[in-house]
Amino acid sequence: MDRGDKLINNRSPKRILLFFAILFVLSVLCSFLISGLIADVIMREQIASILSVLGGGKFTALPDADAIAKGESLITQYGVDAQMHPSLMEGYAALRMTLFGVMAGLSGILCIAGAACSLRQVDMIYNQLEEIRKDCFAIAEQQKTQTELYGEDFGCVRRICEGVNLIAGRMTHLSATLYGEKQFLRDFLTDFSHQMKTSLAVIRLNHDMLTEFDNLDPEKKQLLSEEITLHLDGMESLVLSALKLAKLNADAVTYKMEECDLSQTCRTAAERLSPLMRKMKIAFTFPNIQEILFSHDAVWLCEAIGNLLKNAADHSGCCEIRMELTKIPGAVKLCIADNGKGIPQSEIPTLFDRFGKKSNNATMQSAGVGLAIAKEIIEAHNGEICVYSEMGRGTRFEILFLNQILCKN
């Protein structure tokens, strides 16, 4: 935008010009009035000096009242006295116009200078605003992350720059968050569809075999039907787990925090998995401890603990799982350990990623989202989870819940 456009498209320069135009007109009017007053004073003094000289006063001295009276008496016949109006004197109009021209000229010069300085300052502000505008377009197009700091310290333009930078920072953070969510959704859908396709392929194959081969013996038909049922159950479990994980990641879960016994929550989680452990011939131990009151959502925390226990039973190849709950100053520590084959150190950093580890069985009962769900729930309860594992000697999950602890005596 050039200077002409700035003058035409903005009201402030027009208002400045109008203000100084009005100021100039008023100054001209004031100059005309003041020049008349000054001319009157000068002419009155001139009349007094002339009368004083005529009355015998000195030309270089101040007018004397006696001399002025003698001078009036000498020329009173001509109608001249000290009280005559100054405008009757020769040269009055020229003197007044000279004074008026000088005063009006000075007023005009001051008004023009003031208007020029004001417009210059406004032009500088508009130039800075134009630069901010360009930086905003660059930020919107992700060519820049923030604008330069224009203007004086603590000035309005500088504060605008700071506000733009604040918005730009939040936009950058929001963009990064949205990109992460988009990446998460894409990876999630890819992994989820891969998991579903496996079971759908088995179900379709078994269904085709059941419908196309009429001479299958009853035992074979029963086996195919059971496989279909198992995979349908696995798909149902996967869908429910995926929905839970999606709700947790979207912060759509409202936890009902209540002060209740944490050890009872752990027992409830273990009781739900006791049929699976008996089926897999896994010994489970959880020593009886005193009641530990802890503010938590028993339903969701039971889900997290159950997922950790199920992960140990499903993946470790162990024959024993131990769970311990201990009270330490300022926190509660929950440990879940097994004597299985262990986890390679290279896999531990991605252990809590969704679909990071698939189940050992083919029924998709554990599809790799349990640990991700457990981590989300534990962190929502102000907890931290750590994993320690040694190949051939088992794995230990340690959960530390901070604060909010009241132990019953």
Side-chain angles (χ1 to χ4, degrees):
M1 179 182 292
D2 57 21
R3 294 184 178 179
D5 293 333
K6 294 174 186 176
L7 179 62
I8 295 173
N9 298 327
N10 294 283
R11 294 182 179 179
S12 295
K14 298 176 183 178
R15 290 173 178 173
I16 291 174
L17 292 175
L18 179 61
F19 169 77
F20 279 101
I22 295 173
L23 183 63
F24 176 71
V25 171
L26 293 176
S27 65
V28 168
L29 293 176
C30 292
S31 297
F32 182 77
L33 295 176
I34 294 173
S35 63
L37 295 175
I38 295 174
D40 288 349
V41 171
I42 293 174
M43 284 300 177
R44 287 184 188 279
E45 290 296 325
Q46 187 176 1
I47 293 172
S49 297
I50 294 172
L51 292 175
S52 177
V53 171
L54 291 175
K58 293 183 179 181
F59 181 77
T60 57
L62 292 174
D64 181 73
D66 294 337
I68 292 173
K70 291 180 181 180
E72 286 181 340
S73 63
L74 292 175
I75 59 175
T76 186
Q77 58 183 332
Y78 299 104
V80 178
D81 56 27
Q83 304 300 321
M84 67 178 295
H85 197 275
S87 61
L88 298 176
M89 293 292 294
E90 180 69 23
Y92 174 84
L95 174 63
R96 182 173 184 177
M97 290 305 297
T98 300
L99 293 173
F100 170 71
V102 172
M103 296 177 64
L106 290 175
S107 299
I109 292 173
L110 291 176
C111 289
I112 292 174
C117 292
S118 299
L119 291 175
R120 174 62 179 169
Q121 293 296 320
V122 171
D123 184 66
M124 291 175 59
I125 293 175
Y126 283 159
N127 289 336
Q128 293 170 352
L129 293 177
E130 282 295 316
E131 293 298 326
I132 295 174
R133 176 177 176 271
K134 293 178 182 178
D135 289 344
C136 288
F137 278 110
I139 292 171
E141 296 174 359
Q142 298 183 347
Q143 298 175 357
K144 297 181 66 174
T145 57
Q146 62 180 9
T147 182
E148 301 293 335
L149 293 179
Y150 302 100
E152 300 176 351
D153 294 341
F154 308 109
C156 292
V157 176
R158 178 63 62 87
R159 295 171 68 183
I160 291 174
C161 294
E162 292 172 352
V164 170
N165 287 339
L166 177 62
I167 296 174
R170 292 183 177 178
M171 286 179 60
T172 302
H173 174 72
L174 179 61
S175 178
T177 302
L178 291 176
Y179 178 79
E181 293 295 331
K182 182 179 179 181
Q183 186 71 24
F184 166 80
L185 181 60
R186 183 174 63 186
D187 295 343
F188 180 84
L189 292 176
T190 300
D191 296 335
F192 183 81
S193 61
H194 175 74
Q195 294 287 329
M196 295 292 287
K197 286 177 182 178
T198 302
S199 286
L200 286 173
V202 175
I203 293 173
R204 179 176 294 276
L205 178 61
N206 289 3
H207 177 266
D208 292 341
M209 293 177 65
L210 287 172
T211 55
E212 293 178 5
F213 298 99
D214 298 331
N215 56 350
L216 289 175
D217 53 42
E219 184 177 350
K220 183 65 174 178
K221 289 182 178 181
Q222 181 65 27
L223 179 61
L224 293 175
S225 298
E226 291 177 356
E227 287 184 359
I228 291 175
T229 301
L230 287 175
H231 280 278
L232 287 174
D233 292 341
M235 292 172 63
E236 180 183 9
S237 176
L238 175 62
V239 170
L240 294 177
S241 298
L243 289 175
K244 290 178 182 178
L245 181 60
K247 289 179 64 177
L248 290 169
N249 284 322
D251 293 330
V253 175
T254 303
Y255 294 98
K256 297 180 180 179
M257 297 294 190
E258 296 179 353
E259 189 179 298
C260 49
D261 185 10
L262 183 58
S263 61
Q264 182 59 45
T265 302
C266 294
R267 290 192 188 91
T268 302
E271 290 172 358
R272 292 179 180 177
L273 291 174
S274 57
L276 175 62
M277 294 185 184
R278 286 195 301 269
K279 179 181 178 181
M280 301 180 69
K281 298 180 180 180
I282 297 175
F284 176 76
T285 57
F286 181 44
N288 292 325
I289 59 173
Q290 66 175 354
E291 183 181 20
I292 297 180
L293 297 179
F294 177 74
S295 180
H296 65 283
D297 188 315
V299 176
W300 280 103
L301 195 55
C302 181
E303 172 85 13
I305 297 171
N307 287 347
L308 294 174
L309 292 173
K310 191 173 185 297
N311 176 77
D314 190 53
H315 297 294
S316 66
C318 64
C319 61
E320 181 184 358
I321 297 178
R322 302 180 307 278
M323 185 163 62
E324 298 178 358
L325 184 64
T326 56
K327 171 173 61 72
I328 60 177
V332 167
K333 183 170 70 173
L334 173 63
C335 296
I336 299 175
D338 62 66
N339 62 349
K341 60 185 179 181
I343 302 173
Q345 293 297 315
S346 60
E347 294 184 6
I348 290 180
T350 60
L351 191 63
F352 293 98
D353 293 347
R354 63 204 176 284
F355 305 111
K357 191 171 181 65
K358 297 180 175 61
S359 176
N360 288 332
N361 61 48
T363 61
M364 210 176 63
Q365 293 297 313
S366 177
V369 296
L371 291 182
I373 292 175
K375 184 174 183 293
E376 291 281 347
I377 297 173
I378 290 170
E379 290 180 347
H381 284 78
N382 199 23
E384 296 180 356
I385 183 169
C386 299
V387 184
Y388 305 92
S389 184
E390 185 177 351
M391 295 302 296
R393 303 192 64 177
T395 303
R396 184 175 78 257
F397 289 86
E398 288 189 0
I399 306 167
L400 193 66
F401 294 105
L402 304 175
N403 304 325
Q404 303 177 339
I405 301 164
L406 292 173
C407 297
K408 184 177 180 180
N409 296 327

